[in-house]
Amino acid sequence: MSGKLYGNQAGLPFSSALRVYEPLEAFPEDQRKQLVASGTRSGSRAAVENAELLASLGRVTRKGGDPFPTGSTDLVRITRVPSGDPNDPDDGRLLYCPSQLVIRAGLAANALMEGIHGPLADLLIPVNQRDRHQARIDRINASHDAKRVHTRASTWGIPFSWFSLFQESDRKDVVESGGRILTVRVWASLTDALDRARFAVANLALAAPDLDMLDDLTQLTEWLESFHAQSMVELDYGAVADKVYPDESPMDVRLGIECLAEGDMTGAAAAYRRLASRWIPIRQLARAS
């Protein structure tokens, strides 16, 4: 397969991710050397994305019917937080986000098995591979905290709750190639993301306690609280960015919540209509033939 596969994902589902990058000291001592080595070996961000995509396609076509990752070549994404100090030779500190493919695949498989049954489940997750994969997950659970999964993924659209963590002024990286936007990455400090999430939870709990988004935001807040205070949060749009960017969803979500808190149902409805007009067509692609 071509090394340019990352830039040519035609036919694949739109996939977006919410990631937390932590400083090295946030990880167990026995994991730190591995993170540094893996991060150095992984190369550029484009190389990491390409390697992950190639690996996922390779697992689907692997002989023996085992679609699960083994964890033997887990990828690590790295980002550098600018220090703002011109005298800093390293221009900030490095933060790490391990892919944790084994535990993430296990969680996804468990969720899938709870939703489907019979021949379809056996086709997607072969019975003869489940015990082997469960053994891998058990080994990871024995040595690391499985609750600290650094990546959340979404296909065919981005959950509205994720947008509540970001604002228009946050740093953005727009990745383009051949006149097409490959992805947009938006960054916020963990402190800012948590403040924004808690603001949204507090206001929705009072103004719209039955809204599904409140449950999503509550879980999101609890997840973020498990990470180091000096972490960074990244929203990676993925290929869907080419369909929606420039995107005002973070502003629309914030305005919608503020309007609900003020009892302005007209303003809240207008914000939701803007979000729906942008994202419902994307989600409908999941059911397109």
Side-chain angles (χ1 to χ4, degrees):
M1 293 183 185
S2 167
K4 297 180 180 179
L5 182 62
Y6 165 59
N8 184 22
Q9 300 184 39
L12 296 175
F14 290 138
S15 180
S16 307
L18 187 66
R19 301 186 180 99
V20 175
Y21 291 71
E22 291 192 288
L24 202 58
E25 60 265 29
F27 297 92
E29 281 193 37
D30 61 348
Q31 193 182 358
R32 295 175 189 175
K33 288 185 179 179
Q34 177 188 350
L35 284 170
V36 173
S38 297
T40 302
R41 186 171 58 246
S42 297
S44 69
R45 182 63 185 267
V48 173
E49 305 298 346
N50 192 67
E52 188 165 272
L53 182 56
L54 281 168
S56 65
L57 294 175
R59 288 193 299 274
V60 172
T61 58
R62 182 190 294 161
K63 292 182 179 180
D66 183 0
F68 293 108
T70 63
S72 58
T73 56
D74 204 24
L75 296 167
V76 177
R77 290 172 175 82
I78 297 177
T79 190
R80 188 182 294 275
V81 181
S83 65
D85 182 358
N87 297 317
D88 182 357
D90 297 323
D91 190 26
R93 62 191 318 216
L94 292 176
L95 302 179
Y96 299 81
C97 178
S99 291
Q100 300 170 291
L101 290 176
V102 173
I103 191 64
R104 285 169 52 207
L107 294 172
N110 291 341
L112 189 62
M113 291 300 297
E114 291 175 359
I116 60 175
H117 305 282
L120 180 58
D122 294 341
L123 177 65
L124 294 174
I125 307 174
V127 176
N128 63 341
Q129 300 297 340
R130 293 176 195 169
D131 290 343
R132 180 187 303 178
H133 184 59
Q134 187 60 51
R136 295 181 193 129
I137 296 174
D138 291 342
R139 285 196 299 271
I140 286 185
N141 283 337
S143 57
H144 300 299
D145 185 0
K147 292 182 179 180
R148 294 179 69 253
V149 177
H150 289 70
T151 301
R152 292 191 167 202
S154 176
T155 53
W156 300 117
I158 297 174
F160 293 165
S161 58
W162 291 9
F163 291 121
S164 68
L165 307 180
F166 303 93
Q167 292 188 3
E168 311 85 82
S169 58
D170 290 335
R171 177 166 66 90
K172 298 179 182 66
D173 297 330
V174 180
V175 183
E176 299 180 83
S177 177
R180 188 163 61 90
I181 298 177
L182 299 183
T183 189
V184 172
R185 301 185 184 110
V186 189
W187 298 84
S189 69
L190 184 82
T191 302
D192 286 344
L194 266 174
D195 286 346
R196 295 163 184 172
R198 289 166 178 158
F199 169 84
V201 167
N203 282 282
L204 287 180
L206 292 174
D210 297 327
L211 203 64
D212 289 341
M213 187 176 169
L214 176 58
D215 292 334
D216 293 343
L217 273 166
T218 301
Q219 294 176 20
L220 200 58
T221 303
E222 293 173 352
W223 175 65
L224 291 173
E225 287 173 340
S226 68
F227 295 102
H228 193 283
Q230 294 182 11
S231 300
M232 293 290 292
V233 185
E234 173 197 74
L235 173 58
D236 188 345
Y237 276 67
V240 76
D242 195 52
K243 302 293 184 183
V244 301
Y245 194 79
D247 180 34
E248 296 181 340
S249 296
M251 181 178 66
D252 288 333
V253 168
R254 188 181 74 255
L255 289 176
I257 292 172
E258 289 174 351
C259 287
L260 284 173
E262 295 168 1
D264 179 5
M265 297 300 109
T266 301
Y272 177 78
R273 281 195 299 271
R274 291 192 296 270
L275 285 165
S277 66
R278 191 178 301 126
W279 290 102
I280 287 180
I282 299 295
R283 291 172 180 170
Q284 288 174 336
L285 292 173
R287 296 186 290 274
S289 60

